[in-house]
Structure formats: structure tokens, C-alpha cells
Amino acid sequence: METEKVKCLIIGSGPAGYTAAIYAGRANLSPVLYEGMQPGGQLTTTTDVENFPGYPEGVSGSQLMDDLRKQAEHFGADLRYGVATASDLSAAPYKVTIDDEKVIETDTLIIATGATAKYLGLADEKKYAGMGVSACATCDGFFYRKKIVAVVGGGDTACEEAVYLSGLASKVYLIVRKPYLRASKIMQERVTKHDKIEVLFEHNAVGLFGENGVEGVHLVQRMGEADEKHYDLPIDGFFLAIGHQPNSDIFKPYLDTDETGYIVTEGNTPCTKVPGVFAAGDVADPHYRQAITAAGSGCKAAIEAERYLSSKCML
């Protein structure tokens, strides 16, 4: 395979990756960034972003990512299309294979590959993406003030999202496939005692409907049982809270990850157990998963990369 040697390689192009590229570029690290399968990351599928500082009127997700991309280019980042398909972090310089065709050898590596929200697999989820379907209540809940929404899931995340949305929406349905909640006892109590939240146990969402956006969900109660019941529930928003899958598989043989696959970093830093390898953004964040926190961690990763190279006299 063709081989190329660089000082700083960044994998991923969401807020974490682009911010890391901005800082690394300004530090004269000549960063090379591979944008992955979805340049700009998950935010490119979001219509409006109102909680990213600096945009008082809000901004579309694609525009925000385009602005960050241009800023990274302005400071000298080499932005490329390509997907990381393998890695070897056993010894420096570290090696990352791109598209099974080219090997990049790098003194420092910033992993910003993000996490992919889990969906039910319904065709309607794609049809109504950005038009009533969301996988982030914190990101999009504001748009459903005094409206009726549904949250799918039965774990802590789903309960937390339902409670959060109850402060905005007029009514929250929690659609739970099983006859019980998997969430912690305290979260179960908060949900079941909340006057705005109604839990629909033993329900499966099998489709969505609406003209110019989500207007309702097709539900099946007690699916597969003799008393199975089909009905439609009017809602304005449909929130998935069944988990995220960190895009960390190719790095797992060399880095510590938690049970879900999130890369474990040292304390409040982006440093992994491998010197010179850093993780930023959602791939290392099971808790917040926000654009601004991802951008902040990308900043920290680039600063740590510069410090690492300076300590090794590689600059």
C-alpha cells in the first residue's frame, strides 16, 4: 500500500474533528483530517441548531459544519475524503489505513469518529428526519414547546429524555416495548409520577405518518399476542432514546473502551492509554453528546497533541 507520514492525523469531521483541525493548524502541526462517510457528522442531518454559541438567530446544521470546515482550511488543515478502515497503534509512528488502500503513519492521532444513534429501522425514520424525528431531546426539544411528543425506549436515557421534554412539551408519551422499565429506580419513579408523562408499556412503534412532518405514530400494543391491538397516536415529535453506538471498532484492540464501546480517556482530558493518541467528541462522551462539548474536546485534543510533540522534540 501507499504510505504517507504526517505529524498530526485527525479521523472524523464533526465539531470535534474540525475544531481539532483549527487548533492544530494554528499550532503549525500541518494536520491531515479524513472526513469519513458523513462529512460534517451527525449535525448535517439536523435542520436548525439554536444552542451553539455565536449564532443568535440559529443556524442550520450543514451551515455550521461548513463554517467550521472553512475555518479549518483557512488555518492550513489538509481536509480529505476517506474512511479509516484499520489501525495499528501498537507502536509509534501509529498507522491508520484509509479506504483499505493507503496507510497514514502519524506521530499523533486524534480520534473524532463520533457515535451513531440507534434507530428502530423504520423507513419513516429516514422519511421524517429533521421533520419530527430526532435522536437528541437536548438538541431539538426546544422546537416542541407546548406540543405532544413521544420518546421510544425504556432505559435511563429514555426516562431522562422524557423528563427533559416534559419541561417543554404539553404531553410526553414514553413508548416501551417491554412490560417494565429498565431504568434505575429513581428514574422510574420520576417518570411514573410525572403528570405530563404517560408510559405505554408493551407497545411497538411500527411507522409514522404526516403530510409535511410527523403528525402521528402507528402503534401495536402487545405485538404477537392474542389480544394484539393496532392504533394511531397523534404526536408532533418522535424521539429515539434506545442508545448510541460509538464508532470505535478499529481502535478497540489498542485502547480501553467501556461496555458500550466509548473510548476511555484519562480524567478530564482527551488522552488515551496510548501516548500521542487522543479521543475527542462523541466517541468518548457517553453523557453529553452536544456540538459545543465535542468542539471543546477537539480543542483540548489538539492542544495535547501539540504538547506531546513538543515534549518529544518533534516540532
Side-chain angles (χ1 to χ4, degrees), residues 45 119 124-136 140 144 208 213-214 236-240:
T45 65
Y119 287 83
D124 289 336
E125 289 172 321
K126 292 183 178 179
K127 177 181 176 180
Y128 294 106
M131 299 170 61
V133 172
S134 172
C136 180
D140 299 325
Y144 297 91
L208 300 166
V214 170
D236 302 294
F238 185 75
F239 289 83
L240 282 304

Side-chain angles (χ1 to χ4, degrees), residues 111-234:
I111 302 167
T113 46
T116 303
K118 294 180 181 177
Y119 287 83
L120 298 175
L122 307 176
D124 289 336
E125 289 172 321
K126 292 183 178 179
K127 177 181 176 180
Y128 294 106
M131 299 170 61
V133 172
S134 172
C136 180
T138 308
C139 309
D140 299 325
F142 182 79
F143 302 110
Y144 297 91
R145 288 171 296 170
K146 299 182 179 179
K147 295 186 177 182
I148 301 172
V149 300
V151 177
V152 178
D156 278 322
T157 299
C159 290
E160 288 167 6
E161 302 253 292
V163 171
Y164 175 81
L165 288 166
S166 69
L168 299 165
S170 62
K171 175 78 173 182
V172 180
Y173 291 101
L174 185 59
I175 302 171
V176 184
R177 181 169 52 92
K178 296 181 180 295
Y180 56 86
L181 292 170
R182 294 180 292 102
S184 59
K185 186 173 180 59
I186 187 169
M187 287 308 304
Q188 291 187 44
E189 290 178 353
R190 287 179 186 174
V191 165
T192 55
K193 293 181 180 180
H194 203 295
D195 60 356
K196 279 191 180 182
I197 302 174
E198 181 178 344
V199 183
L200 303 177
F201 288 112
E202 295 185 274
H203 277 68
N204 283 266
V206 295
L208 300 166
F209 61 90
E211 289 296 323
N212 298 311
V214 170
E215 296 177 4
V217 55
H218 300 301
L219 292 175
V220 179
Q221 184 178 8
R222 290 181 55 79
M223 181 180 283
E225 301 297 326
D227 57 349
E228 177 180 289
K229 177 183 176 183
H230 294 246
Y231 69 98
D232 292 342
L233 181 68

Side-chain angles (χ1 to χ4, degrees), residues 1-293:
M1 290 189 189
E2 178 187 356
T3 302
E4 179 182 1
K5 179 71 164 54
V6 302
K7 276 194 239 181
C8 178
L9 176 64
I10 303 168
I11 303 296
S13 59
Y18 284 146
T19 302
I22 291 168
Y23 274 79
R26 293 182 76 251
N28 293 322
L29 301 188
S30 303
V32 170
L33 181 151
Y34 278 93
E35 296 187 296
M37 294 181 65
Q38 189 176 26
Q42 291 185 74
L43 273 187
T44 57
T45 65
T46 301
T47 50
D48 296 310
V49 179
E50 294 189 332
N51 55 4
F52 197 91
Y55 294 90
E57 303 300 323
V59 62
S60 71
S62 58
Q63 183 62 57
L64 174 58
M65 290 299 95
D66 191 49
D67 289 345
L68 289 177
R69 189 181 196 280
K70 288 176 180 176
Q71 193 171 358
E73 283 187 310
H74 176 73
F75 288 111
D78 183 353
L79 307 182
R80 306 175 181 178
Y81 294 107
V83 176
T85 51
S87 75
D88 181 356
L89 311 183
S90 58
Y94 307 113
K95 300 175 181 65
V96 177
T97 304
I98 305 297
D99 294 327
D100 294 320
E101 297 176 348
K102 181 176 183 177
V103 175
I104 305 293
E105 295 186 353
T106 183
D107 296 318
T108 57
L109 172 64
I110 297 175
I111 302 167
T113 46
T116 303
K118 294 180 181 177
Y119 287 83
L120 298 175
L122 307 176
D124 289 336
E125 289 172 321
K126 292 183 178 179
K127 177 181 176 180
Y128 294 106
M131 299 170 61
V133 172
S134 172
C136 180
T138 308
C139 309
D140 299 325
F142 182 79
F143 302 110
Y144 297 91
R145 288 171 296 170
K146 299 182 179 179
K147 295 186 177 182
I148 301 172
V149 300
V151 177
V152 178
D156 278 322
T157 299
C159 290
E160 288 167 6
E161 302 253 292
V163 171
Y164 175 81
L165 288 166
S166 69
L168 299 165
S170 62
K171 175 78 173 182
V172 180
Y173 291 101
L174 185 59
I175 302 171
V176 184
R177 181 169 52 92
K178 296 181 180 295
Y180 56 86
L181 292 170
R182 294 180 292 102
S184 59
K185 186 173 180 59
I186 187 169
M187 287 308 304
Q188 291 187 44
E189 290 178 353
R190 287 179 186 174
V191 165
T192 55
K193 293 181 180 180
H194 203 295
D195 60 356
K196 279 191 180 182
I197 302 174
E198 181 178 344
V199 183
L200 303 177
F201 288 112
E202 295 185 274
H203 277 68
N204 283 266
V206 295
L208 300 166
F209 61 90
E211 289 296 323
N212 298 311
V214 170
E215 296 177 4
V217 55
H218 300 301
L219 292 175
V220 179
Q221 184 178 8
R222 290 181 55 79
M223 181 180 283
E225 301 297 326
D227 57 349
E228 177 180 289
K229 177 183 176 183
H230 294 246
Y231 69 98
D232 292 342
L233 181 68
I235 59 170
D236 302 294
F238 185 75
F239 289 83
L240 282 304
I242 54 177
H244 286 72
Q245 183 60 49
N247 302 318
S248 60
D249 285 353
I250 66 171
F251 306 109
K252 283 182 179 179
Y254 309 97
L255 304 178
D256 289 336
T257 60
D258 69 8
E259 63 277 4
T260 305
Y262 288 98
I263 295 174
V264 175
T265 58
E266 298 175 0
N268 192 32
T269 78
C271 303
T272 70
K273 74 174 186 179
V274 178
V277 177
F278 311 95
D282 287 9
V283 74
D285 178 11
H287 302 295
Y288 301 105
R289 296 191 298 269
Q290 298 297 299
I292 189 62
T293 52

